[in-house]
Short mmCIF file of all heavy atoms in Angstrom, two decimals:
data_model
loop_
_atom_site.label_atom_id
_atom_site.label_comp_id
_atom_site.label_asym_id
_atom_site.label_seq_id
_atom_site.Cartn_x
_atom_site.Cartn_y
_atom_site.Cartn_z
N PHE A 322 -17.40 -24.03 20.05
CA PHE A 322 -16.82 -22.98 20.88
C PHE A 322 -15.53 -23.52 21.48
O PHE A 322 -15.54 -24.50 22.21
CB PHE A 322 -17.79 -22.57 22.00
CG PHE A 322 -18.81 -21.53 21.59
CD1 PHE A 322 -20.11 -21.91 21.27
CD2 PHE A 322 -18.47 -20.19 21.54
CE1 PHE A 322 -21.04 -20.95 20.91
CE2 PHE A 322 -19.40 -19.24 21.18
CZ PHE A 322 -20.69 -19.61 20.86
N HIS A 323 -14.43 -22.88 21.17
CA HIS A 323 -13.12 -23.40 21.53
C HIS A 323 -12.73 -22.91 22.92
O HIS A 323 -12.08 -21.86 23.08
CB HIS A 323 -12.09 -22.95 20.49
CG HIS A 323 -10.80 -23.69 20.53
ND1 HIS A 323 -10.69 -25.02 20.19
CD2 HIS A 323 -9.55 -23.30 20.89
CE1 HIS A 323 -9.44 -25.41 20.31
NE2 HIS A 323 -8.72 -24.38 20.76
N ASP A 324 -13.09 -23.65 23.94
CA ASP A 324 -12.86 -23.23 25.33
C ASP A 324 -11.66 -23.94 25.97
O ASP A 324 -11.51 -23.93 27.19
CB ASP A 324 -14.11 -23.44 26.18
CG ASP A 324 -14.62 -24.87 26.16
OD1 ASP A 324 -13.96 -25.74 25.54
OD2 ASP A 324 -15.68 -25.14 26.75
N ASP A 325 -10.82 -24.56 25.14
CA ASP A 325 -9.60 -25.22 25.63
C ASP A 325 -8.51 -25.01 24.57
O ASP A 325 -8.49 -25.69 23.55
CB ASP A 325 -9.86 -26.71 25.86
CG ASP A 325 -8.60 -27.45 26.35
OD1 ASP A 325 -7.55 -26.79 26.53
OD2 ASP A 325 -8.67 -28.68 26.52
N HIS A 326 -7.61 -24.07 24.85
CA HIS A 326 -6.61 -23.72 23.83
C HIS A 326 -5.60 -24.83 23.57
O HIS A 326 -4.86 -24.77 22.58
CB HIS A 326 -5.87 -22.43 24.24
CG HIS A 326 -4.97 -22.59 25.42
ND1 HIS A 326 -5.43 -22.50 26.72
CD2 HIS A 326 -3.63 -22.84 25.51
CE1 HIS A 326 -4.43 -22.67 27.56
NE2 HIS A 326 -3.32 -22.88 26.86
N LYS A 327 -5.58 -25.86 24.42
CA LYS A 327 -4.65 -26.97 24.22
C LYS A 327 -5.25 -28.07 23.35
O LYS A 327 -4.57 -29.04 23.01
CB LYS A 327 -4.22 -27.55 25.57
CG LYS A 327 -3.45 -26.57 26.45
CD LYS A 327 -3.04 -27.19 27.76
CE LYS A 327 -2.28 -26.19 28.64
NZ LYS A 327 -1.91 -26.78 29.95
N GLU A 328 -6.50 -27.91 22.98
CA GLU A 328 -7.19 -28.93 22.20
C GLU A 328 -6.68 -28.96 20.76
O GLU A 328 -6.49 -27.92 20.13
CB GLU A 328 -8.69 -28.66 22.22
CG GLU A 328 -9.53 -29.64 21.44
CD GLU A 328 -11.01 -29.28 21.47
OE1 GLU A 328 -11.37 -28.35 22.21
OE2 GLU A 328 -11.78 -29.92 20.74
N ILE A 329 -6.48 -30.16 20.23
CA ILE A 329 -6.09 -30.34 18.84
C ILE A 329 -7.33 -30.19 17.96
O ILE A 329 -8.38 -30.77 18.24
CB ILE A 329 -5.44 -31.71 18.62
CG1 ILE A 329 -4.11 -31.77 19.39
CG2 ILE A 329 -5.22 -31.99 17.13
CD1 ILE A 329 -3.49 -33.16 19.42
N VAL A 330 -7.22 -29.42 16.89
CA VAL A 330 -8.32 -29.20 15.96
C VAL A 330 -7.84 -29.55 14.55
O VAL A 330 -6.95 -28.89 14.02
CB VAL A 330 -8.82 -27.74 15.99
CG1 VAL A 330 -9.95 -27.54 14.99
CG2 VAL A 330 -9.27 -27.36 17.39
N ALA A 331 -8.42 -30.58 13.97
CA ALA A 331 -8.05 -30.99 12.62
C ALA A 331 -8.37 -29.89 11.62
O ALA A 331 -9.39 -29.21 11.75
CB ALA A 331 -8.78 -32.27 12.25
N GLU A 332 -7.51 -29.70 10.64
CA GLU A 332 -7.71 -28.73 9.55
C GLU A 332 -7.68 -27.28 10.03
O GLU A 332 -8.12 -26.38 9.33
CB GLU A 332 -9.03 -28.99 8.81
CG GLU A 332 -9.23 -30.40 8.31
CD GLU A 332 -8.31 -30.76 7.17
OE1 GLU A 332 -7.85 -29.82 6.47
OE2 GLU A 332 -8.02 -31.95 6.97
N ARG A 333 -7.14 -27.05 11.22
CA ARG A 333 -7.12 -25.69 11.77
C ARG A 333 -6.16 -24.79 10.99
O ARG A 333 -5.04 -25.17 10.66
CB ARG A 333 -6.67 -25.73 13.23
CG ARG A 333 -6.64 -24.35 13.91
CD ARG A 333 -5.64 -24.28 15.05
NE ARG A 333 -5.80 -25.34 16.03
CZ ARG A 333 -5.90 -25.13 17.34
NH1 ARG A 333 -5.92 -23.91 17.82
NH2 ARG A 333 -6.00 -26.13 18.17
N ALA A 334 -6.61 -23.56 10.68
CA ALA A 334 -5.73 -22.53 10.12
C ALA A 334 -5.05 -21.79 11.26
O ALA A 334 -5.69 -21.47 12.26
CB ALA A 334 -6.53 -21.57 9.25
N SER A 335 -3.77 -21.52 11.12
CA SER A 335 -3.04 -20.73 12.10
C SER A 335 -3.23 -19.25 11.80
O SER A 335 -3.43 -18.85 10.66
CB SER A 335 -1.55 -21.07 12.05
OG SER A 335 -1.33 -22.41 12.41
N GLY A 336 -3.17 -18.42 12.85
CA GLY A 336 -3.32 -16.98 12.69
C GLY A 336 -1.97 -16.30 12.55
O GLY A 336 -0.98 -16.71 13.18
N TYR A 337 -1.93 -15.23 11.73
CA TYR A 337 -0.68 -14.52 11.48
C TYR A 337 -0.92 -13.01 11.49
O TYR A 337 -2.03 -12.53 11.28
CB TYR A 337 -0.09 -14.92 10.12
CG TYR A 337 0.26 -16.38 10.02
CD1 TYR A 337 -0.67 -17.30 9.51
CD2 TYR A 337 1.50 -16.85 10.44
CE1 TYR A 337 -0.36 -18.65 9.42
CE2 TYR A 337 1.82 -18.20 10.36
CZ TYR A 337 0.88 -19.10 9.85
OH TYR A 337 1.19 -20.44 9.78
N ALA A 338 0.17 -12.28 11.72
CA ALA A 338 0.17 -10.82 11.61
C ALA A 338 1.42 -10.42 10.84
O ALA A 338 2.41 -11.15 10.82
CB ALA A 338 0.17 -10.18 13.00
N PRO A 339 1.38 -9.25 10.18
CA PRO A 339 2.59 -8.80 9.49
C PRO A 339 3.73 -8.61 10.48
O PRO A 339 3.53 -8.16 11.60
CB PRO A 339 2.16 -7.46 8.87
CG PRO A 339 0.67 -7.54 8.80
CD PRO A 339 0.24 -8.34 9.98
N ALA A 340 4.93 -8.95 10.06
CA ALA A 340 6.12 -8.76 10.88
C ALA A 340 6.84 -7.50 10.46
O ALA A 340 6.79 -7.11 9.29
CB ALA A 340 7.05 -9.96 10.75
N ARG A 341 7.48 -6.84 11.42
CA ARG A 341 8.28 -5.67 11.06
C ARG A 341 9.37 -6.07 10.08
O ARG A 341 10.03 -7.09 10.26
CB ARG A 341 8.92 -5.07 12.31
CG ARG A 341 7.94 -4.49 13.31
CD ARG A 341 8.67 -3.79 14.44
NE ARG A 341 7.77 -3.37 15.50
CZ ARG A 341 8.14 -2.68 16.56
NH1 ARG A 341 9.40 -2.31 16.70
NH2 ARG A 341 7.27 -2.34 17.50
N GLY A 342 9.53 -5.29 9.06
CA GLY A 342 10.56 -5.58 8.07
C GLY A 342 10.13 -6.56 7.01
O GLY A 342 10.93 -6.95 6.16
N GLY A 343 8.86 -6.99 7.04
CA GLY A 343 8.36 -7.89 6.02
C GLY A 343 8.12 -9.29 6.55
O GLY A 343 8.63 -9.69 7.60
N GLY A 344 7.32 -10.04 5.84
CA GLY A 344 6.99 -11.40 6.26
C GLY A 344 5.89 -11.41 7.30
O GLY A 344 5.14 -10.43 7.47
N PHE A 345 5.80 -12.51 8.03
CA PHE A 345 4.69 -12.71 8.96
C PHE A 345 5.18 -13.31 10.26
O PHE A 345 6.25 -13.93 10.32
CB PHE A 345 3.64 -13.65 8.33
CG PHE A 345 3.17 -13.19 6.98
CD1 PHE A 345 3.72 -13.71 5.82
CD2 PHE A 345 2.19 -12.21 6.87
CE1 PHE A 345 3.32 -13.28 4.58
CE2 PHE A 345 1.77 -11.76 5.62
CZ PHE A 345 2.34 -12.31 4.47
N ARG A 346 4.39 -13.11 11.30
CA ARG A 346 4.65 -13.75 12.58
C ARG A 346 3.37 -14.42 13.05
O ARG A 346 2.27 -14.00 12.70
CB ARG A 346 5.12 -12.72 13.62
CG ARG A 346 4.14 -11.61 13.86
CD ARG A 346 4.73 -10.53 14.75
NE ARG A 346 4.97 -11.01 16.09
CZ ARG A 346 4.04 -11.00 17.06
NH1 ARG A 346 2.82 -10.53 16.82
NH2 ARG A 346 4.32 -11.43 18.26
N ILE A 347 3.51 -15.47 13.83
CA ILE A 347 2.34 -16.20 14.34
C ILE A 347 1.59 -15.31 15.31
O ILE A 347 2.18 -14.63 16.15
CB ILE A 347 2.77 -17.51 15.01
CG1 ILE A 347 3.36 -18.46 13.98
CG2 ILE A 347 1.60 -18.16 15.74
CD1 ILE A 347 4.02 -19.68 14.57
N SER A 348 0.27 -15.29 15.21
CA SER A 348 -0.58 -14.50 16.10
C SER A 348 -1.75 -15.36 16.55
O SER A 348 -2.76 -15.48 15.86
CB SER A 348 -1.09 -13.24 15.38
OG SER A 348 -1.90 -12.47 16.24
N MET A 349 -1.58 -16.00 17.70
CA MET A 349 -2.59 -16.90 18.26
C MET A 349 -2.85 -16.47 19.71
O MET A 349 -2.24 -15.53 20.21
CB MET A 349 -2.10 -18.34 18.20
CG MET A 349 -1.69 -18.80 16.80
SD MET A 349 -3.08 -19.26 15.74
CE MET A 349 -3.30 -20.97 16.25
N THR A 350 -3.70 -17.19 20.41
CA THR A 350 -4.02 -16.85 21.79
C THR A 350 -4.11 -18.11 22.63
O THR A 350 -4.46 -19.18 22.12
CB THR A 350 -5.34 -16.07 21.89
OG1 THR A 350 -5.58 -15.69 23.24
CG2 THR A 350 -6.52 -16.90 21.41
N THR A 351 -3.81 -17.95 23.91
CA THR A 351 -3.99 -19.04 24.87
C THR A 351 -5.24 -18.85 25.71
O THR A 351 -5.52 -19.65 26.60
CB THR A 351 -2.78 -19.14 25.81
OG1 THR A 351 -2.63 -17.90 26.51
CG2 THR A 351 -1.50 -19.43 25.04
N LEU A 352 -5.99 -17.80 25.45
CA LEU A 352 -7.18 -17.51 26.26
C LEU A 352 -8.33 -18.44 25.88
O LEU A 352 -8.54 -18.75 24.71
CB LEU A 352 -7.59 -16.05 26.09
CG LEU A 352 -6.56 -15.02 26.57
CD1 LEU A 352 -7.08 -13.61 26.35
CD2 LEU A 352 -6.21 -15.25 28.04
N ASP A 353 -9.11 -18.82 26.87
CA ASP A 353 -10.19 -19.78 26.68
C ASP A 353 -11.58 -19.17 26.81
O ASP A 353 -12.58 -19.88 26.84
CB ASP A 353 -10.07 -20.93 27.70
CG ASP A 353 -8.80 -21.75 27.49
OD1 ASP A 353 -8.36 -21.87 26.34
OD2 ASP A 353 -8.24 -22.27 28.49
N MET A 354 -11.66 -17.82 26.91
CA MET A 354 -12.98 -17.19 27.02
C MET A 354 -13.79 -17.44 25.74
O MET A 354 -13.25 -17.37 24.64
CB MET A 354 -12.86 -15.67 27.21
CG MET A 354 -12.42 -15.20 28.58
SD MET A 354 -10.62 -15.23 28.75
CE MET A 354 -10.49 -16.49 30.00
N VAL A 355 -15.08 -17.71 25.91
CA VAL A 355 -15.98 -17.84 24.76
C VAL A 355 -17.24 -17.04 25.04
O VAL A 355 -17.51 -16.59 26.15
CB VAL A 355 -16.34 -19.32 24.48
CG1 VAL A 355 -15.11 -20.12 24.08
CG2 VAL A 355 -17.03 -19.96 25.69
#
Side-chain angles (χ1 to χ4, degrees):
F322 275 100
H323 195 68
D324 57 3
D325 179 2
H326 69 276
K327 297 180 180 178
E328 179 181 353
I329 294 171
V330 179
E332 307 290 336
R333 181 207 307 232
S335 297
Y337 298 92
R341 294 186 187 183
F345 306 97
R346 59 188 293 273
I347 294 171
S348 180
M349 306 280 275
T350 183
T351 59
L352 297 180
D353 296 328
M354 285 84 245
V355 296

